[in-house]
Amino acid sequence: MPTSFAVFSATHGIAVMLGFLVLAGFMIIARHSARGKTIVTGLLAFFCLAAYGYSQWAWSTCTEPTSLDSILPFHLCDFAGFLAGYALLSRKPLARELTFYWGLAGTFQGLITPALAYDLPHPAFFTFFLHHFAIVGAALFLPLCDGWRPQQPFYKSPLRAFLWINLYLIFAGTMNVLLGTNFGFLAHPPINPSLIDQLGPWPWYLVSMLGVAMLFYSLLTLPFAGLAKKS
């Protein structure tokens, strides 16, 4: 039997530390030269777009039956992976905007409290962190290395991200009703301790989640408003 993953364990801390060190290296390389930026863009886009494929390979190595939650790419981070890869390659404004907000307000939470059952050295451990760090890396790359900024006036971008997250939740909730799944963790909290545990019982935590999302989107926008005032 593979070892069960524990939030805030040594392996969790090492994975997070190494992941952010790699991302820091990526940002330095991308800012140092045009060639380096091209290479980092390609690597991040590849790992984002390929995330579903290598995650499915990891799940195929499990001896336990795989649930629809793991087979179908309907979790928010699945959508964010496809979106981030597309945003890096296409530079479409909406895709870049959603990648920034969803990556840093949503996927980043997955790194702090991973909804992960398997610890090192199970393949699912590696693919989980690779998937999530690729998205967070793309979200950081856009403003730090690629010149992306929220649309002015600055309330427009977080409000648009909030509208789209509500559309995703409607989709995920519909799939949960039809398939008996837990996409978006709308049916119950994740298996490991997470921020959702502090937001009240179901279904009230669903309302709290929306409030927290809007708060995070607003906080992520504040630094750009400050930069605009200084310039």
Side-chain angles (χ1 to χ4, degrees):
M1 287 291 291
T3 306
S4 296
F5 178 81
V7 174
F8 306 134
S9 63
T11 51
H12 179 198
I14 291 171
V16 170
M17 180 182 67
L18 290 178
F20 278 112
L21 284 175
V22 171
L23 291 188
F26 277 8
M27 301 305 130
I28 293 171
I29 292 170
R31 290 175 65 89
H32 182 71
S33 69
R35 179 175 173 80
K37 179 181 175 182
T38 300
I39 292 172
V40 171
T41 301
L43 286 172
L44 289 175
F46 171 78
F47 286 120
C48 285
L49 293 173
Y52 177 71
Y54 58 70
S55 295
Q56 288 305 298
W57 166 77
W59 286 116
S60 72
T61 67
C62 299
T63 56
E64 299 84 356
T66 304
S67 67
L68 284 176
D69 297 66
S70 300
I71 295 173
L72 299 176
F74 294 159
H75 280 291
L76 180 61
C77 289
D78 295 317
F79 278 91
F82 293 125
L83 188 67
Y86 176 71
L88 289 168
L89 297 178
S90 71
R91 306 192 56 166
K92 295 293 185 181
L94 180 60
R96 284 152 60 93
E97 186 173 78
L98 295 183
T99 294
F100 175 75
Y101 287 107
W102 287 9
L104 295 184
T107 304
F108 186 84
Q109 294 292 320
L111 293 173
I112 298 173
T113 55
L116 178 63
Y118 302 105
D119 205 345
L120 200 70
H122 196 281
F125 177 91
F126 293 101
T127 58
F128 177 92
F129 283 102
L130 181 59
H131 179 182
H132 286 68
F133 268 113
I135 298 169
V136 171
L140 291 171
F141 176 89
L142 293 174
L144 294 179
C145 306
D146 204 36
W148 175 85
R149 295 293 183 267
Q151 182 182 355
Q152 294 192 44
F154 287 113
Y155 64 81
K156 285 190 175 181
S157 289
L159 282 178
R160 191 156 42 234
F162 185 72
L163 168 64
W164 278 94
I165 199 65
N166 276 272
L167 294 176
Y168 163 76
L169 293 176
I170 292 171
F171 168 79
T174 302
M175 291 298 101
N176 291 341
V177 171
L178 294 175
L179 304 175
T181 48
N182 189 31
F183 296 120
F185 303 116
L186 301 182
H188 58 80
I191 55 175
N192 291 326
S194 71
L195 176 62
I196 294 177
D197 298 328
Q198 312 305 316
L199 300 181
W202 187 92
W204 306 114
Y205 77 72
L206 302 179
V207 178
S208 302
M209 282 171 60
L210 291 175
V212 169
M214 192 67 243
L215 174 63
F216 284 171
Y217 295 165
S218 300
L219 292 175
L220 287 168
T221 309
L222 281 180
F224 299 99
L227 290 174
K229 290 180 182 178
K230 292 179 181 178
S231 61

